[in-house]
Amino acid sequence: MASKDEALKLGVVVTSIDAFNPEAKDRSETAVRRLFDRLLEAGAISRSSLLEGRIGGPHDALRAADTLAAAGVDLVVIVNVAFPNGQVFLTLATHPRLARIPMAVVAEPEPKMGEWATNAWCGVIMNNFAARRIGRPIAAIPGPVDGERFRTDLLRLLRTATAIRDLRRDFLGRIGDAPSGF
């Protein structure tokens, strides 16, 4: 078990279907990887954090979920670099060992590379709808991931997930009788 002062162990999963613009998806994934590396360098996340390669369907998602669960991540972030397979989110969100782990879904804005280059944010909307249907709270954070607002929102989410992790590890107890009146 880690100490309370340990950095948050982040698990990131990049996802998209095969369709849409490959260059736009690669740009988005590269931006996410740069952000992940900066978080590692700054000590904002644990060195044992994971960034899973791009996955497309439920079988890949189950493998990724098992990997994140075995690593004991404290926060799962699903990054839609294009419209995702609908089962990826549900596979991760309902995995027995990840079901109580905080989760976020993020996406870059639609790039100006022709019509419907990625449709990634539509995937976030779909994931949010699925999350509501199964009673799974998530955070949805819009990109661009290299933007100031995204960075602020992500750092707030990291602090929140750290607090949740620490509270779950805390033991509250009482020694002796309760004060009178209770």
Side-chain angles (χ1 to χ4, degrees), residues 50 52 61-73 95 97-98:
L50 304 168
E52 289 289 304
L62 183 56
R63 179 196 45 78
D66 288 341
T67 300
L68 297 177
V73 298
H95 188 278
R97 291 179 28 213
L98 297 176

Side-chain angles (χ1 to χ4, degrees), residues 24 28 80-81 107-112 117-121 142-146:
S28 181
N80 295 336
V81 295
E108 294 275 277
E110 186 67 25
K112 293 175 176 47
T118 64
N119 206 21
W121 190 250
V145 299
D146 58 359

Side-chain angles (χ1 to χ4, degrees), residues 119-159:
N119 206 21
W121 190 250
C122 183
V124 173
I125 295 167
M126 175 190 71
N127 296 152
N128 187 51
F129 176 77
R132 286 180 173 268
R133 296 286 299 203
I134 65 172
R136 176 71 152 91
I138 63 167
I141 307 175
V145 299
D146 58 359
E148 186 62 36
R149 178 159 185 217
F150 182 89
R151 190 172 16 264
T152 300
D153 290 348
L154 181 63
L155 291 174
R156 181 181 305 119
L157 178 62
L158 293 175
R159 289 189 306 272

